[in-house]
């Protein structure tokens, strides 16, 4: 019997919570059987940043990256190990070019999705570059901001083309607010986007072939933005939300991403779906945290054991062919996109793999989350995130939500209570 060892690298910023959970679960999982009696074992390391030769062989077989979107050195290392060594990456930096949300808007509009009307306006203040100053003085057209806003219609949103974490986002009701927001935008490049008056906000987190759709309450403080609600969408809307998340990921080759959609009646409007480092913090995901860690473990193990190959070519024509088929209705197109996305993520094979090779993972995670080890992680996380006078409150808050998960999961696995 052969034993193959794979090394998983974590490229991290400031987070401690999910990496610790990931390490513990993978450790408890132990070796995973291959197809032919062989066995696969996994080691994990947190990657350090150091000089590297471009011909050096990396030790890692798969890397989960949370850092390279912001820093060039790890980004260039990831590009090297992707191109030269075929290391499997969640996510590949070659997909960062479209991580500014503008490209994702364009792609999803091209595929016929209900992206609200959006216009990109030039910088309010010229960027600090002598050549740009010359170019803009000579070639930038003056334009009528009010006319653009009138055409879109109030209320509207002004927000950076490459936004994140609500930086620079404002809701605009009239020309006065429009000019104030544009004047304040400075060197940020801004979209104007029609505001959607929505009934409900769904945020979906996708990891490989799995998607969790969560009811999101953007006006709440961080710890209560995700509501625990299992039936807030009709089955058809829920299906569309999952399809949109998987579609955008399959289109851009993202493996680990979140997608925000606004829902009014039966209409789904995607507004934000390019997040290189989606939120997986214990303090915000709470009830959904065990799902996220389990999905990360399963997808990493699946990719390594089955030898899944990373793909950099986007093959956009396959998606555009569906979009351009005049004889197909929109629901049929959505179904066709879903088939393409599911094929890209090998959904069927993945679920079969999880059922046959990882049959005890659910129990392992349940046991861990219900035990003292996880409780310690919860306490440590709260201590590192909140000021001292709020520790007791947030420890109790998170314990309550996680014990609800333990109860629901116990019932789901047939342990009843
Ligand atoms: N077109 C829109 N209609 C209604 N609300 C919007 C719209 N665009 C943005 N918002 C609100 O503003 C928030 C931030 O905008 P978003 O595009 O998600 O930027 P960021 O990348 O900073 O998260 C959203 O979560 C939503 O509450
Ligand atoms: Mg957002």
């Amino acid at each position: 019997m052969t034993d193959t060892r794979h090394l998983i690298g974590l490229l991290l910023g400031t987070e401690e919570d999910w990496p610790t959970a990931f390490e513990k679960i993978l450790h408890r999982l132990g070796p995973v059987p291959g197809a032919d009696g062989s066995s696969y074992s996994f080691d994990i390391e947190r990657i350090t940043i150091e000089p590297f030769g471009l011909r050096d062989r990396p030790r890692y077989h798969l890397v989960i990256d949370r850092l390279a979107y912001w820093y060039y050195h790890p980004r260039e290392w990831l590009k090297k190990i992707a191109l030269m060594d075929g290391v499997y990456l969640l996510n590949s930096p070659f997909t960062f070019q479209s991580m500014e949300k503008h490209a994702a808007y364009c792609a999803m509009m091209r595929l016929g999705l209900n992206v609200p009307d959006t216009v990109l306006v030039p910088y309010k203040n010229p960027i600090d570059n002598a050549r740009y100053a010359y170019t803009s003085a000579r070639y930038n057209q003056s334009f009528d901001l009010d006319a653009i806003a009138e055409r879109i219609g109030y209320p509207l949103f002004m927000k950076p083309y490459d936004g994140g974490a609500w930086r620079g986002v404002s809701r605009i009701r009239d020309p006065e607010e429009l000019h104030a927001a544009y004047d304040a935008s400075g060197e940020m490049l801004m979209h104007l986007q029609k505001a959607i008056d929505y009934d409900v906000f769904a945020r979906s987190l996708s990891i490989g072939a799995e998607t969790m759709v969560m009811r999101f309450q953007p006006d709440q403080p961080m710890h209560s933005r995700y509501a625990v609600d299992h039936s807030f969408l009709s089955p058809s809307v829920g299906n569309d939300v999952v399809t949109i998340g998987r579609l955008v990921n399959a289109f851009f080759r993202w493996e680990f991403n979140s997608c925000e959609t606004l829902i009014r009646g039966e209409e789904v409007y995607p507004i934000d779906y390019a997040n290189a480092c989606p939120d997986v913090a214990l303090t915000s995901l709470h009830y959904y945290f065990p799902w996220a860690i389990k999905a990360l473990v399963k997808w990493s193990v699946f990719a390594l054991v089955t030898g899944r190959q990373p793909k950099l070519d986007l093959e956009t024509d396959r998606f555009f062919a569906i979009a351009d088929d005049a004889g197909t209705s929109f629901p049929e197109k959505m179904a066709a996109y879903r088939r393409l996305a599911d094929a890209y993520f090998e959904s069927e094979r993945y679920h079969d793999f999880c059922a046959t090779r990882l049959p005890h993972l659910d129990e392992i995670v349940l046991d861990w989350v219900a035990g003292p080890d996880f409780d310690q992680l919860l306490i440590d996380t709260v201590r590192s995130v909140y000021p001292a006078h709020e520790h007791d409150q947030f420890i109790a808050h998170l314990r309550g939500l996680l014990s609800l998960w333990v109860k629901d999961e116990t019932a789901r696995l047939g342990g009843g209570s």
Side-chain angles (χ1 to χ4, degrees), residues 66-78:
R66 308 272 299 171
L67 193 63
Y69 187 65
W70 287 279
Y71 302 113
Y72 286 132
H73 186 279
R75 182 187 302 195
E76 297 313 309
W77 178 71
L78 286 181

Side-chain angles (χ1 to χ4, degrees), residues 267-330:
E267 290 292 346
V268 181
Y269 299 87
I271 56 150
D272 183 14
Y273 34 91
N275 295 291
C277 290
D279 179 15
V280 280
L282 171 59
T283 46
S284 51
L285 281 193
H286 52 74
Y287 182 94
Y288 299 103
F289 183 77
W291 170 82
I293 303 307
K294 206 173 356 178
L296 262 181
V297 167
K298 287 194 280 189
W299 185 249
S300 304
V301 168
F302 168 76
L304 288 172
V305 172
T306 62
R308 180 175 161 83
Q309 290 300 308
K311 272 216 174 154
L312 294 178
D313 339 340
L314 296 187
E315 300 175 307
T316 49
D317 48 337
R318 301 173 67 214
F319 294 90
F320 294 157
I322 296 170
D324 296 343
D325 185 347
T328 313
S329 70
F330 186 67

Side-chain angles (χ1 to χ4, degrees), residues 56-115:
D56 292 353
R57 296 285 300 167
R59 293 182 300 115
Y60 305 97
H61 299 93
L62 180 144
V63 173
I64 302 178
D65 164 49
R66 308 272 299 171
L67 193 63
Y69 187 65
W70 287 279
Y71 302 113
Y72 286 132
H73 186 279
R75 182 187 302 195
E76 297 313 309
W77 178 71
L78 286 181
K79 287 184 193 164
K80 170 242 167 330
I81 65 172
L83 277 178
M84 296 189 66
D85 313 298
V87 176
Y88 199 93
L89 304 179
L90 277 68
N91 295 302
S92 166
F94 289 109
T95 67
F96 289 173
Q97 182 62 29
S98 340
M99 271 287 181
E100 24 50 9
K101 133 178 347 152
H102 175 81
Y105 283 157
C106 298
M108 294 303 109
M109 285 184 188
R110 173 75 173 81
L111 299 183
L113 267 58
N114 251 328
V115 179

